[in-house]
Amino acid sequence: MERVILVRYTEIHLKGLNRPYFEQKLVDNIKTALCGIECRIEREHGRIYILGISDDSFDAATDRLTRVFGIHSISPAYAVDKEWDSVCFTAYMLMEKELEKRQKASFKVFARRSDKHYFMNSDMINRELGHLMLERFPALHVDIHKPEISLSVEIRDCAYVYCEEIPCANGMPVGTAGRATLLISGGIDSPVAGYMMAKRGLILSAVHFYSYPYTSERARDKVIELTRLISRFAGPIRLHLVPFTDIQMTIYDQCPSKETTIIMRRLMMKIAERIAAKEGAKALITGEALGQVASQTLESLCVTNDAVSMPVFRPLIGFDKDEIMDLSRKIGTYETSILPYEDCCTVFVPKHPVTRPVLEDLRASEAAVDFSELIEKAIADTELMVIKN
C-alpha cells in the first residue's frame, strides 16, 4: 500500500495534437511547485500520479498542488494491488477514518475500470463494494445523488482507492501562453488581474512605480509581498521597481492639473512597454475596471491605450469592486492590499480629474514637456528583483 496523489486536468484534454505539450508543461510546473519535497511523478492515460511522498510532506505537497494552474482537482489516495481483498481492506480503512468525523453519513461507491480484463466491471464493483460497506458500517446509508462520502475506486495498473476530491486552481499551465508584464500597484485590483492572466497560461513579469519619499519603504515592501503572494500561483516573477518621483513632480508642475492622472498613466504605460519588450513580453496587464475611477472611463482607457503599441489586457474590465474583493480574498492578497501604505497612484490626485479626455488635447499636453531624459533615467535606475514563494 502506497500513498499517492491523483492529479486531474480538464481543459488540456481539448488541445488535440498539442495536448502532450500542455501535459508536459503541467508536469514541469508540478515539479517546480514540489521543489524540496522528495517524490516521483508519473503520467499515463490522461492522469498524473505523484508517488513516493513521505507522510511528513504529504499535507504540504497537497497544499502546493492546489495552487498549480492547469490542475482541476487532486485526490489523496492509496495505491494497492488489484486483489479484491486488498481493495476491500483499503476501502474499510478509509471509511473508518471518514466516520470518525460523523455519527451517520450517506455514501456512494464510484468505480472506474480502465483495466478491461479485471474480473468485475465498474457497475459490479459499485454494487459489491457498496453492499460490503453497508454490512460493515451500520451508520451508513446510500445516497447516489448527494452523498456525504464518495468512496472512489479506480482499477488501472493497480487499484487506487480514495474518498476526497480537492478542487484546485484550474486554468492552463503557466508558460503555455507566453509572457506578459503586469503593472502592479499596492491596491486590490492589479494582483487579482495578474492572477487571472497567469491562470490563462501567461508567465508574469511585473512593473511597480514608486515615488519616494512621497511613498514609504513600507509601501514598497507591500508590493513585494503582493508579488510573492501571486507567485504562489504564477511561479517566479521578475519585479521591476521604477523610481517615478521626478516624472510625477514634473507632471504636477508643468501639466494641466485635470490631466495629470491620465498623463501619469500614459507615461507609466510607455515605461512598462519598454521594460516588457526587454523581458520578451508581448502584452501589458492592468487591473483597470470600466468606470471604477476617473482614469478608467472608456475615453480615459482609449487615451491610455494610445500611449503604447502592445496589447493591453484588462481581465477585470467588467467586474464590480465587490467581485474583485471577493477574488482577492480567495487568492490571499486582500489583507495585504488593504494595508494603509500609499502608492504613487494616490499621490497628487487632482481635485477635478478629467473623465472624458480628448486624445488630441492629451497628446498636446504631453508633447509640451520633454519627458525623454526623465524616462531614460527612470529605466536606468530601475531595480530588478526575482520574487518567488
Side-chain angles (χ1 to χ4, degrees):
M1 182 185 298
E2 181 180 13
R3 295 187 80 184
V4 58
I5 299 176
L6 306 184
V7 177
R8 302 178 189 84
Y9 46 92
T10 53
E11 193 171 349
I12 292 174
H13 285 298
L14 306 176
K15 295 303 178 182
L17 296 177
N18 292 322
R19 177 172 157 181
Y21 164 75
F22 288 87
E23 289 177 332
Q24 185 57 53
K25 182 62 72 172
L26 178 55
V27 169
D28 293 342
N29 292 348
I30 289 172
K31 289 178 181 177
T32 299
L34 297 181
C35 181
I37 295 177
E38 185 175 346
C39 64
R40 67 183 190 276
I41 300 171
E42 298 178 1
R43 187 182 84 201
E44 61 178 36
H45 306 306
R47 188 68 62 83
I48 296 170
Y49 305 89
I50 303 173
L51 307 99
I53 307 172
S54 69
D55 288 343
D56 291 341
S57 300
F58 205 87
D59 289 343
T62 300
D63 178 63
R64 293 186 195 182
L65 289 170
T66 62
R67 295 191 293 270
V68 176
F69 288 130
I71 298 178
H72 174 265
S73 64
I74 58 175
S75 287
Y78 285 95
V80 299
D81 64 56
K82 291 183 281 189
E83 291 294 326
W84 183 242
D85 288 346
S86 298
V87 173
C88 293
F89 175 81
T90 308
Y92 291 148
M93 180 188 69
L94 284 173
M95 190 60 73
E96 284 176 353
K97 289 182 179 179
E98 289 295 320
L99 289 174
E100 288 174 359
K101 308 170 189 176
R102 49 179 77 85
Q103 292 183 338
K104 294 183 179 181
S106 61
F107 86 108
K108 80 168 184 177
V109 178
F110 186 74
R112 296 183 182 90
R113 186 192 63 152
S114 296
D115 178 2
K116 302 305 181 185
H117 299 292
Y118 197 65
F119 75 99
M120 285 193 287
N121 63 29
S122 297
D123 192 50
M124 291 170 64
I125 296 171
N126 288 336
R127 291 199 305 267
E128 183 63 22
L129 196 54
H131 172 70
L132 292 173
M133 292 296 112
L134 288 171
E135 281 191 335
R136 189 177 183 98
F137 301 104
L140 289 176
H141 64 276
V142 174
D143 184 344
I144 63 172
H145 299 294
K146 293 184 179 180
E148 296 169 85
I149 302 171
S150 289
L151 175 61
S152 296
V153 178
E154 298 188 14
I155 305 295
R156 296 175 181 264
D157 56 324
C158 61
Y160 298 95
V161 188
Y162 57 92
C163 284
E164 189 176 13
E165 183 170 334
I166 302 170
C168 297
N170 224 332
M172 296 298 295
V174 170
T176 56
R179 179 185 291 273
T181 296
L182 171 69
L183 280 76
I184 184 167
S185 68
I188 295 171
D189 303 340
S190 55
V192 176
Y195 165 89
M196 292 183 67
M197 296 312 303
K199 186 175 182 177
R200 298 312 307 158
L202 284 173
I203 299 171
L204 297 183
S205 53
V207 175
H208 173 68
F209 298 89
Y210 66 93
S211 293
Y212 186 81
Y214 299 100
T215 57
S216 67
E217 285 296 316
R218 287 186 175 183
R220 180 178 179 274
D221 293 341
K222 173 182 172 181
V223 169
I224 294 171
E225 174 61 12
L226 286 171
T227 307
R228 187 193 69 79
L229 291 172
I230 303 170
S231 75
R232 296 183 305 159
F233 300 90
I237 298 173
R238 291 167 60 84
L239 173 63
H240 301 261
L241 299 164
V242 182
F244 202 62
T245 308
D246 292 345
I247 293 175
Q248 200 159 13
M249 291 299 297
T250 301
I251 294 171
Y252 180 73
D253 290 337
Q254 300 186 36
C255 296
S257 174
K258 66 179 182 178
E259 296 176 351
T260 53
T261 299
I262 299 296
I263 293 174
M264 179 187 72
R265 293 292 296 172
R266 283 175 58 88
L267 295 181
M268 284 180 172
M269 297 290 275
K270 289 182 178 183
I271 293 171
E273 184 179 44
R274 291 270 300 274
I275 293 171
K278 291 181 181 179
E279 289 279 300
K282 304 299 183 185
L284 302 176
I285 305 167
T286 76
E288 293 161 310
L290 186 62
Q292 190 175 109
V293 294
S295 63
Q296 296 175 23
T297 63
L298 180 58
E299 292 84 355
S300 295
L301 294 177
C302 289
V303 170
T304 302
N305 280 359
D306 174 72
V308 295
S309 57
M310 274 187 181
V312 181
F313 295 154
R314 296 182 172 94
L316 307 182
I317 195 69
F319 282 49
D320 63 36
K321 196 65 177 182
D322 287 339
E323 291 170 324
I324 298 171
M325 290 166 60
D326 287 345
L327 189 47
S328 178
R329 292 186 184 98
K330 176 184 174 182
I331 66 176
T333 57
Y334 179 78
E335 295 300 327
T336 302
S337 290
I338 62 173
L339 292 174
Y341 310 130
E342 290 187 323
D343 59 45
C344 69
C345 292
T346 59
V347 178
F348 306 131
V349 176
K351 289 184 178 180
H352 303 290
V354 60
T355 58
R356 301 186 184 280
V358 177
L359 177 58
E360 290 72 18
D361 294 344
L362 266 293
R363 284 176 174 172
S365 297
E366 184 181 314
V369 182
D370 184 4
F371 288 104
S372 58
E373 289 188 9
L374 292 172
I375 289 174
E376 295 300 329
K377 186 175 187 304
I379 293 173
D381 292 343
T382 293
E383 178 186 357
L384 171 62
M385 302 178 70
V386 178
I387 308 296
K388 54 186 176 181
N389 187 44

